[in-house]
Amino acid sequence: MTWALLLLLLVADCGGSAPDAGAPPTDVMLRRQMHAGQLAFELERNEEAAAQYRTALNRAQARDDADAIGDTGYNLAVAELRANAPDKALADARATRIELERRGAKPFPALLLAEATALYRTGAAAEADRAAQLIQRSEDADAVARATFLRGLIADNRGDEAALATAADALARAKTPPFEADSAELSARLALLRSDPSRARQQAARAAELRQITLDYRGLARALAIEGAAAERTGNKITAADLFLRAGRSAAAQGDKGSARAWLRRATYLAAGQPVGRAAADLLRGLNQDDYRLRPCSRRKRTLRRPQPDRRPRLGPHR
């Protein structure tokens, strides 16, 4: 799972004005490709943003510019994370880090954070936790806060109450909406682990509100699901089902089909035979039908037939 990473974009003017005398030469095409990626990213055209950043990365490699390779590689990984392609994000973040290290440059914390996030989302939680721990030693306050949040998620997944409490406490004094949302989510998870569903629901609702404000819709869906789990703990199945339905619908709209299916199945189970349960079942059915339509056709092995003397050979359907 990802969050609103602080994208380090090259927001350079893409006009045709000449550089100042004595300034280092610039690559106008590289700047334009980076700007195109930025625009696509801001419009949430994530696959298009990733394609533009990959083109920019190729240009940076042609230029043999270490700084540009670091920036474009990081931007590419972030776009791929938001496009629900953590495997690609991991490969590109790791390749960028190795490139910088090979040149004797120290990878910047945000790049390490993108790699740690990709590790987590590909199931390598232990490795992600170790990477996040290293980021916590950096001087980048934002990256440290994000790494702390990531370690809190990992602790919650393995049921480590002490580690989750440590992460929640570290973010308790957050003052900006993205980090306040992280703090509220960890507090909600901790309350669930401590069998306090009322507080969990309150904190999850606060996290959802803040995620909506900051346009972190992946985090919003996650917060709704936590709120649903808290409502289920109190025995309010219909309310829980509604929250899981909303979480699943949000995830499906973002292309996160794995999370969407899990939450929609929960809503269907909790409200079987009820309108909210039927709505969840309909959405789930639609996801499955979409996957079926996108599934590649299998080619059946064909054998040659001997033509019959009284009729022309039939051509089989084009496959």
Side-chain angles (χ1 to χ4, degrees), residues 13-310:
D13 177 23
C14 293
S17 58
D20 294 336
T26 60
D27 187 324
V28 174
M29 184 60 69
L30 175 60
R31 290 163 55 195
R32 287 177 176 171
Q33 289 164 345
M34 288 291 284
H35 186 63
Q38 176 191 351
L39 291 177
F41 188 88
E42 290 174 351
L43 292 172
E44 298 186 4
R45 296 175 181 171
N46 303 315
E47 290 81 4
E48 180 183 339
Q52 292 289 352
Y53 285 138
R54 186 169 294 283
T55 301
L57 177 59
N58 292 338
R59 185 77 175 185
Q61 290 170 338
R63 181 178 167 81
D64 194 36
D65 186 328
D67 290 339
I69 288 171
D71 288 337
T72 54
Y74 169 69
N75 291 345
L76 173 59
V78 172
E80 287 169 333
L81 281 171
R82 206 164 78 169
N84 294 304
D87 290 325
K88 293 180 181 179
L90 176 58
D92 288 316
R94 182 173 283 165
T96 303
R97 171 179 58 79
I98 291 172
E99 168 84 7
L100 295 179
E101 290 173 341
R102 189 168 61 243
R103 288 167 171 263
K106 186 177 180 180
F108 50 94
L111 174 62
L112 300 178
L113 180 62
E115 184 177 354
T117 303
L119 283 167
Y120 173 68
R121 288 181 55 186
T122 54
E127 191 175 353
D129 190 54
R130 289 193 294 272
Q133 188 174 16
L134 291 176
I135 297 167
Q136 286 180 314
R137 301 171 188 168
S138 76
E139 296 179 358
D140 186 328
D142 288 346
V144 169
R146 294 295 187 185
T148 300
F149 175 67
L150 177 58
R151 296 198 72 197
L153 294 181
I154 295 169
D156 182 45
N157 290 345
R158 67 184 180 217
D160 188 340
E161 181 181 334
L164 176 55
T166 298
D169 289 344
L171 296 180
R173 291 174 295 281
K175 299 298 182 184
T176 58
F179 300 122
E180 286 182 279
D182 289 349
S183 175
E185 180 174 336
L186 292 188
S187 295
R189 290 174 179 272
L190 183 60
L192 271 182
L193 204 57
R194 290 175 171 174
S195 301
D196 187 354
S198 296
R199 175 170 171 76
R201 188 171 175 188
Q202 178 187 36
Q203 289 296 308
R206 174 63 175 155
E209 178 185 358
L210 290 165
R211 299 295 191 199
Q212 189 182 64
I213 292 171
T214 57
L215 309 183
D216 181 4
Y217 297 147
R218 186 180 184 90
L220 168 63
R222 200 170 54 238
L224 289 171
I226 296 170
E227 193 177 353
E232 184 181 357
R233 294 275 187 93
T234 63
N236 196 336
K237 292 185 177 182
I238 300 301
T239 298
D242 178 65
L243 288 161
F244 280 121
L245 166 65
R246 288 155 56 190
R249 183 177 59 193
S250 178
Q254 299 170 64
D256 184 4
K257 294 184 178 181
S259 298
R261 283 196 178 90
W263 293 329
L264 291 173
R265 288 193 189 105
R266 196 65 192 161
T268 303
Y269 169 77
L270 289 171
Q274 300 294 322
V276 64
R278 288 194 292 269
D282 288 343
L283 276 174
L284 186 58
R285 192 177 303 111
L287 284 176
N288 292 336
Q289 288 174 349
D290 287 345
D291 280 354
Y292 180 78
R293 282 194 293 268
L294 293 173
R295 189 178 302 164
C297 296
S298 60
R299 291 181 177 270
R300 290 180 293 183
K301 188 176 181 180
R302 288 184 281 174
T303 57
L304 295 175
R305 290 184 177 183
R306 181 179 297 176
Q308 298 297 319
D310 58 342

